[in-house]
Amino acid sequence: MSSLGKDVASPTSGHPMVKAEGVHKSFGLAHILKGIDLEVNPREVFCLIGPSGSGKSTFLRCINHLEKISAGRLYVDGQLVGYRQKGDKLYELKESEVAAQRRDIGMVFQRFNLFPHMTALENVMEAPIQVKRETRAVARERAQRLLDRVGLGDRTGHYPAQLSGGQQQRVAIARALAMQPKLMLFDEPTSALDPELVGEVLDVMRDLAADGMTMIVVTHEMGFAREVGDSLVFMDDGVAVETGHPRDVLTNPQHERTKSFLSKVL
């Protein structure tokens, strides 16, 4: 696959790409995130691991305000996400303002969420046309280029039902890249795939990392985290238990909870 660099937006210099300060999230009486503090630097591949229900996906969804945080602050590229601060008070942004922030944040879910009535090419073209008001010609050219780069240049006219799970997920990645984001969020992007299809999706993500895309990846693929990740956080029960370089955390965990988890998955 060829380089994806042309479609990687440059971050504003001088800021962490993502900064979480004391982030809490509750659903009713359920306290899901319990004070998350972390920073993700530009061009970094930041991996989140941990058991189901530990808050990984919830945290990811808070980054683009799909979930509203209950306390704390979240910044993307120096900008407060979902809120405007005046004095000591936060005021939630209008939906249109939140939508404008999301344009810079691509997200790839476990399920591909492609439009079933649209071809692969049309799926990738849709957001730039509808959201950024690009011409069909410009959107088509970029969509074709992105599908070529994720190895699906010969599948542009196929509908989702005609594609394998791995191919659909690669279309979903191309669709997120079509908005030229500065940050990509991956929520267990291979967990819904048959084992033999996982590699083709991880290959695309490796290419993205090599081209400098800032990525936060919730994953169970420990080999990918070890090979590609720059930082890794083990989360459990809404807390960032252990943070470090992936090889250090995976080969020499310091916390008993981390050791117990890794003994079951490695």
Side-chain angles (χ1 to χ4, degrees):
M1 292 175 208
S2 58
S3 171
L4 291 148
K6 189 174 178 181
D7 298 289
V8 174
S10 297
T12 305
S13 61
H15 299 289
M17 181 57 78
V18 176
K19 185 175 184 178
E21 297 179 342
V23 170
H24 290 255
K25 174 62 182 176
S26 296
F27 295 99
L29 297 176
H31 197 177
I32 306 301
L33 299 177
K34 302 173 181 176
I36 301 295
D37 294 290
L38 57 80
E39 290 188 5
V40 180
N41 293 315
R43 306 176 70 87
E44 187 172 13
V45 178
F46 195 97
C47 297
L48 294 171
I49 67 169
S52 297
S54 59
K56 308 183 302 296
S57 296
T58 297
F59 177 68
L60 211 64
R61 292 170 65 84
C62 288
I63 293 172
N64 61 4
H65 207 58
L66 287 174
E67 299 289 356
K68 301 175 186 179
I69 65 175
S70 304
R73 301 284 191 276
L74 257 175
Y75 301 87
V76 171
D77 203 12
Q79 299 295 311
L80 195 60
V81 173
Y83 297 92
R84 179 183 296 108
Q85 184 164 345
K86 289 186 179 180
D88 294 332
K89 291 189 175 181
L90 290 182
Y91 299 89
E92 190 165 7
L93 297 179
K94 299 174 185 175
E95 184 55 39
S96 60
E97 295 172 302
V98 174
Q101 289 185 330
R102 287 193 188 122
R103 292 179 194 177
D104 291 330
I105 305 172
M107 188 158 186
V108 178
F109 299 90
Q110 296 178 38
R111 297 291 172 179
F112 326 121
N113 299 328
L114 299 177
F115 296 116
H117 62 290
M118 292 183 178
T119 64
L121 190 72
E122 291 166 342
N123 265 283
V124 179
M125 291 171 58
E126 182 71 3
I129 291 171
Q130 297 298 329
V131 178
K132 298 178 87 171
R133 304 301 183 201
E134 288 186 356
T135 66
R136 292 190 66 83
V138 168
R140 178 182 292 273
E141 188 276 332
R142 184 184 299 115
Q144 180 67 62
R145 186 173 72 244
L146 286 168
L147 288 169
D148 286 341
R149 289 176 178 177
V150 298
L152 293 172
D154 60 344
R155 298 286 194 275
T156 57
H158 286 56
Y159 291 90
Q162 298 171 305
L163 300 172
S164 70
Q167 290 169 336
Q168 290 185 61
Q169 192 63 296
R170 284 187 279 156
V171 172
I173 294 172
R175 178 180 60 181
L177 291 172
M179 291 292 286
Q180 297 175 291
K182 63 178 76 169
L183 169 66
M184 285 283 284
L185 309 176
F186 292 87
D187 188 6
E188 298 187 27
T190 60
S191 66
L193 301 178
D194 291 333
E196 66 269 22
L197 302 178
V198 168
E200 63 193 51
V201 173
L202 295 181
D203 284 345
V204 171
M205 294 171 65
R206 286 187 184 93
D207 285 349
L208 264 182
D211 278 324
M213 175 61 80
T214 311
M215 300 160 60
I216 303 179
V217 185
V218 173
T219 186
H220 294 296
E221 300 293 337
M222 301 301 162
F224 174 85
R226 183 186 292 109
E227 174 193 348
V228 182
D230 298 299
S231 298
L232 182 144
V233 167
F234 169 67
M235 285 182 64
D236 187 41
D237 195 27
V239 175
V241 175
E242 187 161 351
T243 305
H245 190 279
R247 288 192 181 91
D248 294 337
V249 176
L250 294 175
T251 60
N252 188 28
Q254 300 301 301
H255 292 259
E256 288 305 319
R257 184 66 190 90
T258 316
K259 293 176 184 177
S260 173
F261 174 77
L262 291 175
S263 72
K264 297 178 176 67
V265 299
L266 291 179

